[in-house]
Amino acid sequence: VPSSNRSSAGVPSSNRSSAISDISSSEDEAPTASECETQDPESDVGEANEEELFKEEMTKRREESPAEKNRRKRFKIAEELYTTEEAYYSTLTLINDTFRSRLKDDKGEYMFAEKIIREIFMNTHELQNLHEVLRNRLKDRIENWQLRPRIGDIMKSIAPYFQLYTDYMAKFENAIKTLNEMISKNEKFAQIVRDLEADEEHCQKLKISQHMLGPVQRIPRYRMLLEQYIERLDEISLITLM
């Protein structure tokens, strides 16, 4: 989405596993008097409240009609679409902003040939701009779901710009080849990549080439989620652009 066309097109120019600790104790070991005295009574109240809320939620789900169930499922799918879009936008930002900036000197000039930069980054700048718009629209829709409980209109308006992926897919293999060649032949470039990949806050223990695979994997993810979403639509929703 070139910057000169963004305003007319309506597009402006942006699993981690949780660690679980298991504390095992002997079933035959009785608590001591001091342990009983120091037990927080509020913890029992909190657990009881959580159990009651869980029971209420399960009762609601058993009593909900098929239409209500579909509405709830549609929201969960829309919510997943947004949360994964947020993560995907972060990937594009890592590639296009963080990685790109580290290849520049203190004056903001690239330290490597323009041809190399162009081959590695392809059209990630345009993709980042596109998905900043999509992320923001989905965020607003999720936050105001009761007023406008649908996502089809958003995806329909964005869909024409997905042609950007045709260019990315066509150049992806060569981009990875150029990246790997630079890593193997240019020590300065290789050190920049190693330093970035060692930065867990940005790379999350993944290689740059793995992050560059993100756009290749994103389109199938859209298709999967939207197919699930469409399965939950009723006739009225289908007529009103999902």
Side-chain angles (χ1 to χ4, degrees), residues 7-20:
S7 59
S8 60
V11 182
S13 76
S14 190
N15 293 325
R16 184 175 303 169
S17 303
S18 58
I20 302 177

Side-chain angles (χ1 to χ4, degrees), residues 75 78-79 82 134-155 157 229 240-242:
F75 174 72
E79 193 173 42
Y82 164 64
L134 179 54
R135 179 201 62 171
N136 291 342
R137 290 183 182 178
L138 288 172
K139 181 177 185 293
D140 179 70
R141 186 58 55 87
I142 292 299
E143 291 175 348
N144 298 281
W145 188 255
Q146 296 298 324
L147 298 176
R148 197 170 178 82
R150 60 177 67 98
I151 56 173
D153 56 328
I154 295 176
M155 300 308 295
S157 67
Y229 183 84
T240 57
L241 295 176
M242 302 184 287

Side-chain angles (χ1 to χ4, degrees), residues 65-113:
S65 67
E68 291 171 333
K69 181 178 181 180
N70 281 334
R71 282 195 291 271
R72 176 171 57 81
K73 291 288 186 180
R74 287 201 298 272
F75 174 72
K76 296 302 291 183
I77 295 168
E79 193 173 42
E80 182 179 354
L81 181 63
Y82 164 64
T83 56
T84 55
E85 186 66 24
E86 188 76 61
Y88 177 53
Y89 178 73
S90 295
T91 296
L92 292 173
T93 301
L94 166 66
I95 298 169
N96 189 61
D97 287 352
T98 308
F99 184 28
R100 189 189 288 268
S101 67
R102 296 198 184 192
L103 300 179
K104 297 179 179 180
D105 59 23
D106 294 339
K107 297 180 180 179
E109 300 293 331
Y110 286 113
M111 297 181 286
F112 307 95

